[in-house]
Amino acid sequence: LLPEILSTRHSLARLLGHDSFAHFQSKRGLASCPHAIKTFLDNLNEESAEAYDKELQKLRVLKSSTRGKLQGPQHLQAWDLEFLSLRQGSDLATQYECFGLENAIRGLDTIAQELFGFRLEFVGLRDGEAWADNLLKIEAIDNHEGIRVGQIYLDLFEREGKSRVACLAPLRVGYTPSDRMTRQEPILAVQTSLRSSRSMSFKELQTLFHEFGHALNFISTSTSFQHNAGGRGIAE
C-alpha cells in the first residue's frame, strides 16, 4: 500500500506541473522548495550537534539505569524521549524554567516580526471584555504602517470547568470584501491549559507555539473571501 501511495502522490505532483510531491507540498508553505527545507535542517543539525550529543548521552545513561546495560546507541529509540523525561522528574522542571510564558511570547514576537512583519504588544482588557480571570490580550501591529492588523485573546491557564483541549478559535476572520476598501480585522482566541506562567513543560511549549501558529496564519491572511481566511484555506 505504501509504494502505491508514494506513486500516486508523485503522479499527482507531476500532473500539477511539479518535479515531485516534495516540490508540490513545499511550494504551498513558507519553505517554498525542498532545497530550502534541506538547507534549514542541515544548518540546524550543524548548530545543535554538540548539544544533541550531550543530551543523547544523558538519555543513554538514564535508560541504562532504568532497564539494564545498553549495548549501543541503537537501543535508544525515538519513543524513549517522553518516558525518560518523565523519569527525570523535578530535574526536568528545573531545566524548563527558561520556558516561562514571558520568554515564550518574546520568542513568538520574534517569529512574527521576522517572518510576517508585525509585532505583538500586550494591551489591557476593557470592562466586560474578559470571560474569565487571568485572560491576556495581544494586538498585532504592522511594523511598516503602524496599524493594528489583528487581536488575540490568550486563555492560557487551567481552571475548574474549563476544557483541557488546546485550540485556536477564530472569533472573527480577517478578509477584505470586494465591496470594501478596508480589511476586516481578525479577532482570535488561543486556548491552552497551562499550570503556571513561570515554567512550562516542553509539551506545553509546543502546544502554545502550535496554536499561536494558527493565530499568525489568520492574521497574515490576505483574501477577499472569508471562507478562505487563515486555517480555512487550502494550505496552512
Side-chain angles (χ1 to χ4, degrees), residues 101 125-137 153-160 162 190-194 197:
L101 182 59
L125 284 87
R126 300 186 299 271
D127 290 341
E129 192 174 8
W131 57 86
D133 294 334
N134 296 327
L135 241 62
L136 302 170
K137 184 180 179 182
Y153 293 98
L154 302 179
D155 188 354
L156 303 181
F157 304 103
E158 62 182 2
R159 62 177 179 271
E160 185 177 356
K162 176 185 174 183
V190 173
Q191 174 178 297
T192 62
S193 294
L194 302 181
S197 63

Side-chain angles (χ1 to χ4, degrees), residues 34 48-49 69 133 140 185 207 221 235:
S48 60
K69 185 178 180 181
D133 294 334
E185 180 186 346
T207 299
T221 287

Side-chain angles (χ1 to χ4, degrees), residues 97-108 197 200 205 209:
E97 286 181 355
C98 60
F99 293 151
L101 182 59
E102 182 179 350
N103 284 339
I105 298 298
R106 187 179 297 121
L108 289 166
S197 63
M200 291 181 280
L205 183 70
F209 268 64

